[in-house]
């Protein structure tokens, strides 16, 4: 059952973070288990030994030997970078919560354990959103900036999503930048660039909310009229 996944025992607990062994992990999963595949990582569902259902993103191996070790280094870097960003976003609703790492035999971080987001679709394909979704989305972005993180890729398909119940999430923080890792001027520039897409996405979510309210009103009037006629 892909929605549940297989049970993976915790290899260790480091500072409260889950730590899984890469080799053991990969022996348990199959291609069919994947929840999805992103540019730098494949995502699998898992149930941890303590009963929690989580998502695990594993850095992609190079597609060919010609790509060289730099390709694996890059994909591993983005997965680790995402984990560090999620740590700073602890407790923020609409952002997958950081749970731990998947490490190789030499101790390198090759995967990320995080909260499993319910079934979702890109915000541009969503048919409904929960009330206040635009405000929630803006809060995610503003909180990230306050905590020193800029996502940098919210507009990319599959990064800003809506669940089946209409809740908004911002996923895939792999190419985000953090205030403590770049020049202050570059961080401010990244914030301003992201604010453009923030307005664009929020406007789309508002339009969805309005359309939904109008549709609900039409349905309510139709039901009331049917009741009178009956």
């Amino acid at each position: 059952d892909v929605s549940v996944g297989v049970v993976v025992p915790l290899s260790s607990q480091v500072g409260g973070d889950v730590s899984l062994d890469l080799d053991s992990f990969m022996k348990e999963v199959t291609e069919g288990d994947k929840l999805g595949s992103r540019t730098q990582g494949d995502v699998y569902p898992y149930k941890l030994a303590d009963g929690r259902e989580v998502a695990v993103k594993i850095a992609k191996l190079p597609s060919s030997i010609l790509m060289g070790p730099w390709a694996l280094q890059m994909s591993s870097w983005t997965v680790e970078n995402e984990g560090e960003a999620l740590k700073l976003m602890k407790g923020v609703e609409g952002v997958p919560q950081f749970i731990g790492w998947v490490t190789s035999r030499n101790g390198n971080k090759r995967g990320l354990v995080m909260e499993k987001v319910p079934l979702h679709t890109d915000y541009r394909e969503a048919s409904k959103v929960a009330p206040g979704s635009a405000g929630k989305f803006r809060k995610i972005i503003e909180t990230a900036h306050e905590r020193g993180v800029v996502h940098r890729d919210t507009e990319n398909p599959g990064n800003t999503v809506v669940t089946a119940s209409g809740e908004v999430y911002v996923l895939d923080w792999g190419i985000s930048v953090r205030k403590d890792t770049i020049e202050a001027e570059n961080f401010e520039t990244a914030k301003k660039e992201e604010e453009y897409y923030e307005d664009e996405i929020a406007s789309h979510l508002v339009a969805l909310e309005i359309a939904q309210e109008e549709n609900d009103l039409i349905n309510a009037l139709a039901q009331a009229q049917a009741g009178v006629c009956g």
Side-chain angles (χ1 to χ4, degrees):
D1 185 347
V2 173
S3 66
V4 176
V6 296
V7 176
V8 177
L10 304 188
S11 59
S12 62
Q13 201 85 10
V14 183
D17 297 339
V18 166
S19 179
L20 300 179
D21 174 70
L22 177 65
D23 291 338
S24 300
F25 185 95
M26 296 309 296
K27 288 177 182 177
E28 297 289 343
V29 298
T30 67
E31 190 74 14
D33 292 329
K34 285 183 186 178
L35 287 173
S37 184
R38 307 296 289 171
T39 303
Q40 302 294 344
D42 296 319
V43 183
Y44 300 88
Y46 268 96
K47 182 181 287 185
L48 299 175
D50 60 8
R52 283 181 292 173
E53 293 186 9
V54 300
V56 178
K57 180 181 284 188
I58 300 294
K60 280 189 174 179
L61 292 170
S63 59
S64 105
I65 194 170
L66 297 177
M67 297 178 69
W70 66 268
L72 177 57
Q73 292 172 359
M74 177 58 73
S75 60
S76 296
W77 177 86
T78 58
V79 169
E80 183 173 353
N81 189 57
E82 179 170 12
E84 295 301 332
L86 295 185
K87 283 183 178 181
L88 292 174
M89 296 297 286
K90 181 178 180 180
V92 178
E93 186 179 354
V95 177
Q97 295 300 287
F98 173 83
I99 295 173
W101 301 107
V102 180
T103 56
S104 62
R105 280 176 289 179
N106 59 10
N108 290 333
K109 295 171 182 173
R110 286 286 311 283
L112 166 65
V113 185
M114 57 188 166
E115 174 191 0
K116 182 183 174 186
V117 177
L119 186 66
H120 54 269
T121 185
D122 185 78
Y123 77 96
R124 282 160 286 217
E125 299 173 2
S127 58
K128 69 172 185 177
V129 291
S133 291
K136 177 181 176 180
F137 170 74
R138 286 192 181 279
K139 185 64 177 177
I140 292 170
I141 301 305
E142 290 166 5
T143 301
H145 293 178
E146 290 169 2
R147 296 188 181 186
V149 185
V150 177
H151 185 285
R152 293 180 64 220
D153 204 22
T154 52
E155 78 286 357
N156 196 48
N159 286 353
T160 300
V161 302
V162 179
T163 68
S165 62
E167 297 299 324
V168 173
Y169 276 81
V170 178
L171 312 179
D172 207 349
W173 296 70
I175 65 167
S176 61
V177 293
R178 303 190 304 278
K179 196 171 185 177
D180 61 346
T181 61
I182 64 173
E183 297 290 336
E185 182 179 345
N186 293 335
F187 184 79
E188 291 302 316
T189 298
K191 279 175 58 178
K192 289 177 182 177
E193 290 174 351
E194 184 156 271
E195 286 166 359
Y196 169 81
Y197 292 108
E198 177 188 346
D199 289 342
E200 188 177 85
I201 294 171
S203 295
H204 186 92
L205 294 173
V206 167
L208 269 179
E209 289 184 47
I210 293 172
Q212 189 171 306
E213 289 173 358
E214 291 176 345
N215 188 56
D216 290 344
L217 179 58
I218 290 171
N219 289 337
L221 290 173
Q223 291 175 4
Q225 186 175 12
V228 171
C229 293

